[in-house]
Amino acid sequence: MAAYSKADLERRMSGAVEALKGDLSGLRTGRASTSLLDPVTVTVYGSNMPLNQVATVTVPEPRMIAVQVWDKANVGPVDKAIRSAGLGLNPIVDGQNLRLPIPDLTEERRKELAKLSSQYAEKAKIAVRNVRRDGMDGLKADEKKAVIAEDERKRLEIEVQKLTDATIAEIDATSAAKEREILGK
């Protein structure tokens, strides 16, 4: 059985891009979005649960997120989880509802978020390079086992490199678009 699988490499590389998009969606751009609260986990019923499993998150206005907690006993833990998530949001508790006004981003905060966007992109690139290395190692192993010939290995290595370059270009474009959005350019 061959150690190299182009479909597997493509799947893993696109997985890195999707993970980056998920990370970037959590970065605040000054507009309210339900995805801002995706990374928030709440400790309730003795375990950590995603916020969307204990409350309904909506955006009633462009600069406001509303969180309706289903169980009254969870209002405190949800409030605490949002405050401690490092998103710079301060919930206003109103019964079982929490209102989250989205403050304007300061220039300093915008730069921090743009830097964070770059860090996420770098993490995704490292993941892609690791997938590339696995692919190259797989090709060398296949050549050693005489599954493929040397010229076939070299041709496939070029294919793997092209796939890597295209994926990294997509990561750069995604990250640059998010930075422009954050910096308001």
Side-chain angles (χ1 to χ4, degrees):
M1 167 143 171
Y4 168 78
S5 163
K6 182 179 179 186
D8 182 53
L9 293 181
E10 286 173 342
R11 181 187 57 75
R12 289 171 58 198
M13 284 188 187
S14 69
V17 173
E18 290 309 308
L20 170 68
K21 288 178 180 173
D23 287 344
L24 292 179
S25 74
L27 291 182
R28 202 164 52 131
T29 57
R31 285 194 309 269
S33 164
T34 58
S35 63
L36 274 178
L37 299 177
D38 284 351
V40 177
T41 57
V42 185
T43 306
V44 288
Y45 311 122
S47 65
N48 281 342
M49 299 175 80
L51 178 64
N52 63 10
Q53 289 185 9
V54 294
T56 305
V57 180
T58 57
V59 180
E61 305 168 28
R63 304 193 68 72
M64 177 79 64
I65 298 176
V67 179
Q68 184 178 8
V69 183
W70 301 329
D71 183 348
K72 200 172 191 133
N74 294 337
V75 173
V78 167
D79 179 38
K80 184 178 173 211
I82 292 170
R83 288 180 192 276
S84 62
L87 299 170
L89 299 173
N90 293 312
I92 300 164
V93 180
D94 178 19
Q96 282 183 241
N97 296 317
L98 284 84
R99 287 175 295 148
L100 304 160
I102 306 296
D104 280 328
L105 292 176
T106 62
E107 192 58 35
E108 187 179 316
R109 183 70 178 139
R110 286 180 191 274
K111 287 182 177 150
E112 282 175 29
L113 290 172
K115 195 182 285 183
L116 196 56
S117 167
S118 298
Q119 289 170 0
Y120 286 156
E122 191 53 41
K123 191 172 77 174
K125 287 181 193 177
I126 289 168
V128 168
R129 289 187 199 110
N130 287 338
V131 172
R132 175 190 171 276
R133 187 191 61 229
D134 290 349
M136 295 297 194
D137 290 350
L139 288 171
K140 287 178 184 135
D142 285 351
E143 184 188 6
K144 222 175 228 165
K145 290 187 226 160
V147 176
I148 58 172
E150 181 183 0
D151 57 339
E152 178 73 358
R153 175 186 56 85
K154 288 181 179 173
R155 185 185 67 73
L156 289 170
E157 281 179 350
I158 292 169
E159 209 175 87
V160 169
Q161 188 58 49
K162 282 182 182 169
L163 179 63
T164 304
D165 293 344
T167 307
I168 286 185
E170 184 181 354
I171 288 170
D172 285 339
T174 303
S175 175
K178 187 65 176 187
E179 284 181 36
R180 279 193 304 276
E181 188 183 340
I182 289 169
L183 296 171
K185 293 179 181 167

